[in-house]
Amino acid sequence: MRIGIDARYLSHNLVGGVHTYVSLLVPSLIERANGAEIFLYADSKAPFELDVAALPPHVTLRILPYRNALSTPWLDFTLRKAMAADRINVAHFPANVGLAPAGAASVLTLHDAINILPLWEILRGHEKTLRTMAMMTYLHFLSTLSVRRADVVATVSESARREIVRRSGLPAERVIAVRYGPSPIFRRIEDRAALEAVRARLNVQRPFLLADAIKNPDVIARAWRRLPAPLQASYQMLFFSRVIIPPPAVREMVAAGHAQVLIRPSRSDLVALYNLAEGFLFPSLYEGLGLPPLEAMRCGAPVIASNRGSIPEVVGDAGLLIDAGDDVALAEHITRLLQDRSFRQELQQRGFARAEEFSWPKPADRMLDVYRYALSLPRKGRSAPLAASS
């Protein structure tokens, strides 16, 4: 089997969920694809993240030219020429868009259904600048075209799979959920001195609950006001934020002395914070998968999360679920978590077991099965599948 993977997310100096997925999937596939040849296609926008010198003999890296902002859409439509030259059997596009060369099986990872919603729904949720509207329109067009041409659409949760089937009209057997977990860097740390050193360096003085600043902080702020006064005095919220200016609810909690915010902490610091936290709050309004609860569980932080999207299938019975707008229920769960140590320890143990179900390299093995399945299907416009060596 000759596998071509669009790995440009590893040469664009990116962050976020799709980048995390690609950065975890590619090394695992390299490790697990016994007997297969793998071709990685990146560009020259930024240095390639993997150690090129350490790539094994069955992996070939192609660095395509990146000259300006138009290079990305240019490569979106011409990358298949490079794949065709390498005579790949199966092309995998792990970042929502991609067009395979003629004759190759096409696997597209669509992380959620957002980009294939009706265009007016997509634009409604974004600022109305010319640049944003143009980018959203392009992504909608290319995602829709990519889905239409893919032999198999992989996605990251059963919730996302159901929504993609409903929105795209694809046959259900052509859309497959391959759930995945966080990086192994997220783990329980037993060295308390090292953890306390991080706490001191970041000037975190009170015990805290951890949360992502952009994931529905309004309900956290309302719930915090409902907590008993002794808990408010003894604990604080600690928000990590990928944006420089956090949402108003976060800033208001900070001004009131109820919260602290850390802007773009390093991954190693985030691991330490998960380990130090009394719990992790994730009242997100929507997630295609939702890695942060799994990250928290691996580090031993009990999870309180919303019941939206894929979050219930990720959390299972290892955490507490609420409606994303229910500050009363959130306050009740926070109170119990902080006051009942045995209950907190029970959730912690459940979390360890739950996170293990998503651990790598299991998702890579499942993706290899998806490649084989795609190869077994008749190509669109062809009467029989291509033959491929394993």
Side-chain angles (χ1 to χ4, degrees):
M1 181 162 53
R2 296 169 68 86
I3 304 166
I5 302 174
D6 182 353
R8 285 178 291 162
Y9 255 70
L10 301 184
S11 60
H12 282 199
N13 196 26
L14 296 169
V15 296
V18 175
H19 171 264
T20 298
Y21 171 77
V22 179
S23 67
L24 292 171
L25 176 66
V26 171
S28 291
L29 285 173
I30 291 172
E31 176 188 347
R32 304 295 286 187
N34 297 325
E37 293 183 71
I38 296 179
F39 296 83
L40 304 178
Y41 302 90
D43 59 31
S44 58
K45 183 177 182 180
F48 193 63
E49 294 180 22
L50 303 184
D51 183 354
V52 177
L55 293 177
H58 69 285
V59 177
T60 300
L61 174 64
R62 307 286 191 209
I63 301 293
L64 305 173
Y66 184 97
R67 298 183 176 89
N68 54 49
L70 294 178
S71 295
T72 292
W74 172 259
L75 289 173
D76 286 340
F77 286 91
T78 60
L79 178 58
R80 54 186 169 176
K81 293 182 179 179
M83 290 181 166
D86 287 323
R87 298 178 292 110
I88 64 167
N89 302 116
V90 57
H92 184 193
F93 301 94
N96 296 314
V97 297
L99 304 173
S106 176
V107 175
L108 175 76
T109 297
L110 190 64
H111 291 256
D112 53 49
I114 290 175
N115 283 344
I116 62 170
L117 297 175
L119 183 57
W120 66 268
E121 287 190 40
I122 299 171
L123 295 177
R124 182 178 60 186
H126 291 83
E127 60 180 343
K128 303 303 185 290
T129 65
L130 180 61
R131 181 179 183 278
T132 299
M133 294 178 70
M135 182 176 64
M136 292 297 102
T137 300
Y138 174 72
L139 289 175
H140 169 70
F141 164 74
L142 187 55
S143 297
T144 303
L145 180 63
S146 301
V147 168
R148 188 182 307 130
R149 293 192 178 181
D151 292 293
V152 177
V153 172
T155 190
V156 295
S157 68
E158 284 296 331
S159 172
R161 187 192 70 81
R162 291 191 296 269
E163 183 68 4
I164 290 168
V165 170
R166 185 172 74 87
R167 293 287 189 167
S168 68
L170 290 172
E173 65 271 15
R174 297 270 181 144
V175 185
I176 300 173
V178 181
R179 302 184 303 185
Y180 69 100
S183 166
I185 192 175
F186 293 96
R187 68 196 189 283
R188 189 64 174 164
I189 297 174
E190 302 299 340
D191 186 346
R192 297 304 301 180
L195 294 175
E196 292 302 324
V198 174
R199 184 199 295 271
R201 176 167 51 80
L202 298 177
N203 195 30
V204 179
Q205 298 180 0
R206 280 183 287 169
F208 62 89
L209 293 165
L210 190 65
D212 186 329
I214 67 170
K215 297 295 184 178
N216 192 19
D218 298 71
V219 72
I220 296 176
R222 296 198 307 270
W224 196 266
R225 291 194 291 268
R226 293 181 176 275
L227 296 182
L231 291 183
Q232 290 187 13
S234 300
Y235 296 90
Q236 68 167 351
M237 281 303 308
L238 182 61
F239 293 97
F240 58 88
S241 178
R242 72 191 73 173
V243 296
I244 296 175
I245 302 177
V250 173
R251 301 199 305 270
E252 290 167 7
M253 288 189 72
V254 172
H258 297 312
Q260 183 177 346
V261 60
L262 299 174
I263 306 298
R264 298 174 182 169
S266 68
R267 283 216 304 174
S268 59
D269 281 351
L270 186 56
V271 171
L273 293 172
Y274 277 131
N275 274 267
L276 289 164
E278 301 295 317
F280 178 64
L281 309 184
F282 196 69
S284 178
L285 297 173
Y286 178 79
E287 296 292 326
L289 176 65
L291 275 183
L294 292 171
E295 294 171 351
M297 289 177 190
R298 282 184 60 91
C299 297
V303 170
I304 305 174
S306 75
N307 60 5
R308 301 284 183 92
S310 65
I311 298 172
E313 70 180 88
V314 169
V315 173
D317 66 351
L320 303 171
L321 297 177
I322 60 163
D323 181 82
D326 192 346
D327 54 288
V328 175
L330 180 55
E332 290 173 351
H333 286 324
I334 291 174
T335 299
R336 184 180 182 191
L337 190 65
L338 295 179
Q339 291 182 336
D340 189 339
R341 307 306 289 182
S342 63
F343 177 64
R344 181 179 179 278
Q345 290 171 357
E346 178 186 342
L347 285 180
Q348 185 181 67
Q349 294 305 312
R350 287 189 204 168
F352 289 142
R354 182 67 177 174
E356 183 59 29
E357 297 177 21
F358 296 78
S359 63
W360 294 89
K362 297 172 188 174
D365 291 337
R366 180 68 173 128
M367 188 57 69
L368 288 168
D369 288 340
V370 172
Y371 295 165
R372 297 183 187 100
Y373 172 61
L375 283 167
S376 76
L377 298 170
R379 297 288 73 73
K380 292 185 175 180
R382 295 173 61 98
S383 59
L386 288 173
S389 58
S390 59

